[in-house]
Amino acid sequence: MDVKIASSWKDKLQNEFQKPYFRELTAFVRQEYKTHTVYPPGPLIFNAFAHCAFEGVKVVILGQDPYHNPGQANGLAFSVADGVATPPSLQNIYKEVSDEFGTPIPPTGNLERWADQGVLLLNATLTVRAHQPGSHQKKGWEEFTDAVIELLSREKKGLVFLLWGAYAQKKGAIIDESKHLVLKSAHPSPFAANRGFFGNKHFKKTNDYLAQQGLEPIVW
């Protein structure tokens, strides 16, 4: 697999790429792209790592699966390609940002602008078959993304981790909360947003924490 990521990630994850599980995962993913429609497009699988270098990470938002409908997934959790309708969960994320800062809701669901500011938008699983949510779970991606989270927790300090929903909170259990700010709430999906996502003030809390460390806040 030609891994298109920032060079700092390549250095940090080199050992992970050599492990047997990752070699098996690579073989599986290659075969899937040959025989099925898979999202995101191959060059965008590691898009989160291409836009947000290891040394630049300030915030981590954990998602689960890429979007599985045509044209949506662009390799960033919760994000879609330009020109694609903003999905319901992201609509609710935008609503919370707008309520916190009084800013207008963006016309695009492409979150590359967040990634370029140091927000790692990390899905637990980085690929999915078209129209089959969860189809690439338990193939090795979760082990890889756990390793990424553990690496960030261990080697950096003062990060903000946003864990929305039970899945993200379980996956984030390995984060060292003595070194990082971990914010948890309900998921922004329409099924859960009214149970604690709306009004969580996570975006303001994130920026306040970054400012305390002398870091530039995120322009959400």
Side-chain angles (χ1 to χ4, degrees):
M1 197 186 305
D2 181 24
V3 179
K4 185 187 173 190
I5 59 175
S7 58
S8 54
W9 280 114
K10 270 194 174 168
D11 294 341
K12 294 288 186 183
L13 295 170
Q14 201 56 49
N15 288 341
E16 210 64 30
F17 294 145
Q18 304 306 321
K19 289 181 179 178
Y21 88 86
F22 196 86
R23 293 179 184 277
E24 291 174 17
L25 171 63
T26 299
F28 166 76
V29 170
R30 280 189 173 134
Q31 185 62 22
E32 286 285 289
Y33 273 88
K34 283 179 186 172
T35 54
H36 297 87
T37 301
V38 178
Y39 300 123
L44 298 181
I45 294 173
F46 291 91
N47 204 24
F49 301 91
H51 277 271
C52 188
F54 178 83
E55 65 273 14
V57 176
K58 297 193 280 190
V59 183
V60 182
I61 299 179
L62 290 185
Q64 191 165 354
D65 251 19
Y67 296 117
H68 54 85
N69 289 325
Q72 288 185 305
N74 69 346
L76 307 176
F78 294 102
S79 174
V80 289
D82 286 318
V84 176
T86 302
S89 289
L90 184 53
Q91 288 178 27
N92 288 337
I93 291 169
Y94 278 171
K95 184 176 186 304
E96 177 60 25
V97 170
S98 179
D99 288 348
E100 290 185 31
F101 296 100
T103 48
I105 288 175
T108 176
N110 191 336
L111 298 180
E112 287 180 355
R113 66 190 183 283
W114 289 8
D116 291 337
Q117 296 178 76
V119 182
L120 183 68
L121 295 154
L122 182 66
N123 276 320
T125 305
L126 300 191
T127 55
V128 66
R129 268 193 208 176
H131 312 299
Q132 294 184 42
S135 49
H136 285 188
Q137 291 177 4
K138 298 182 173 61
K139 303 293 184 183
W141 279 130
E142 293 92 342
E143 188 172 345
F144 173 72
T145 50
D146 280 351
V148 171
I149 295 165
E150 197 275 329
L151 172 72
L152 287 165
S153 176
R154 184 181 73 248
E155 293 203 8
K156 295 179 78 77
K157 63 179 180 179
L159 298 181
V160 183
F161 289 86
L162 302 182
L163 308 181
W164 300 329
Y167 183 91
Q169 288 161 27
K170 184 178 179 184
K171 191 170 180 69
I174 56 176
I175 298 162
D176 184 349
E177 296 194 33
S178 71
K179 293 170 59 185
H180 306 284
L181 177 63
V182 179
L183 299 176
K184 304 173 186 178
S185 79
H187 194 276
S189 84
F191 305 105
N194 286 313
R195 299 202 297 267
F197 178 78
F198 289 136
N200 66 16
K201 298 288 190 281
H202 278 189
F203 302 98
K204 271 199 165 174
K205 289 174 181 175
T206 294
N207 280 358
D208 288 346
Y209 184 77
L210 294 175
Q212 287 167 16
Q213 301 176 83
L215 297 173
E216 280 290 314
I218 306 299
V219 180
W220 299 105

